[in-house]
Amino acid sequence: IDHTTGYVLGISGGIGEKNTAFGFNRATDAVRQTGSSMKPIAVLAPAINEGIITAATVFDDNPTSFNNGTFEPKNFGNKYMGLITARKAIANSQNIPMVKSMCLLTPEKSIKYLKEMGITTISEKDDNVLALALGGLTWGVSPLEMAGAYAAIANGGVYNKPTLYSKVVDHDGNVLLEGNGDSHTVIKDSTAYLLTSAMEDVVNEGTGTA
């Protein structure tokens, strides 16, 4: 996807011969659990944008119970790092600081941001839980909508609805359909800058170095 325009430049939704009788494209139609890839758009972007946290906010990354002991998330490999900054938590994909951030933000506010980022498969009722911070969703998200949401971060906070065509014309050249997608600001450019910088740490020194 071209993050500056929203145009989808390439897409692969399956292998083998394309058969319109089925019409199922995994990239556009398949909704799946997002896991940790949900953290930047569900927690970090809105929490930083609202001034609730910064990249330097310190969290106690240790085993923690939430909702009166009914929700006890774990870090991958039961690895805990103690007092760490949000930036360090992002780089190492630690779960506890993300859930603590969601407590400060609230799932309700997170859902509002996700909808602004083009996520249509979020349930305002069923996904209004802390597990949203870790990608624990009722239905999931399609790869196309995830690409659109992340593109907004790359585009300085401006969301462009993913668009698959520029225009459709008839044999006389009359325009039947225009491919101008919705475009609006979802986060401040300063938020997008900070979040991009923090996510770069994931590949420079964190879980994505491989």
Side-chain angles (χ1 to χ4, degrees):
I1 189 168
D2 182 342
H3 62 277
T4 63
T5 63
Y7 283 127
V8 175
L9 304 182
I11 193 165
S12 177
I15 58 175
E17 183 179 353
K18 303 300 179 286
N19 188 330
T20 55
F22 296 102
F24 184 82
N25 184 302
R26 288 177 179 82
T28 60
D29 303 328
V31 292
R32 298 288 184 267
Q33 299 301 310
T34 62
S36 289
S37 61
M38 201 66 172
K39 294 172 183 175
I41 60 174
V43 182
L44 300 168
I48 293 173
N49 203 62
E50 293 287 324
I52 294 171
I53 68 169
T54 71
T57 299
V58 175
F59 291 94
D60 188 1
D61 179 35
N62 278 302
T64 307
S65 295
F66 300 89
N67 293 341
N68 297 318
T70 60
F71 182 46
E72 298 182 346
K74 309 293 183 188
N75 286 338
F76 180 75
N78 282 321
K79 175 187 173 186
Y80 300 91
M81 304 179 72
L83 295 177
I84 58 170
T85 63
R87 178 180 285 272
K88 190 75 172 179
I90 296 166
N92 291 276
S93 195
Q94 299 299 91
N95 291 335
I96 302 302
M98 296 300 109
V99 179
K100 288 183 175 180
S101 296
M102 182 64 85
C103 288
L104 300 172
L105 174 67
T106 76
E108 183 179 10
K109 177 73 75 172
S110 173
I111 289 171
K112 289 180 180 179
Y113 270 87
L114 289 170
K115 287 182 175 291
E116 285 290 301
M117 291 187 198
I119 307 300
T120 62
T121 48
I122 292 292
S123 169
E124 290 188 26
K125 176 177 177 287
D126 298 328
D127 290 326
N128 190 4
V129 293
L130 293 178
L132 174 63
L134 308 179
L137 306 170
T138 303
W139 302 109
V141 184
S142 73
L144 181 66
E145 291 191 353
M146 285 296 284
Y150 266 85
I153 300 171
N155 195 36
V158 178
Y159 169 80
N160 292 306
K161 183 177 181 180
T163 305
L164 294 159
Y165 59 90
S166 54
K167 63 181 177 179
V168 177
V169 299
D170 64 15
H171 65 284
D172 294 321
N174 299 311
V175 178
L176 303 178
L177 294 171
E178 288 277 9
N180 298 324
D182 172 41
S183 179
H184 57 265
T185 300
V186 290
I187 56 175
K188 293 175 285 192
D189 58 352
S190 58
T191 300
Y193 175 85
L194 285 172
L195 186 51
T196 300
S197 173
M199 288 194 294
E200 286 174 345
D201 283 358
V202 177
V203 293
N204 289 333
E205 59 186 70
T207 58
T209 51

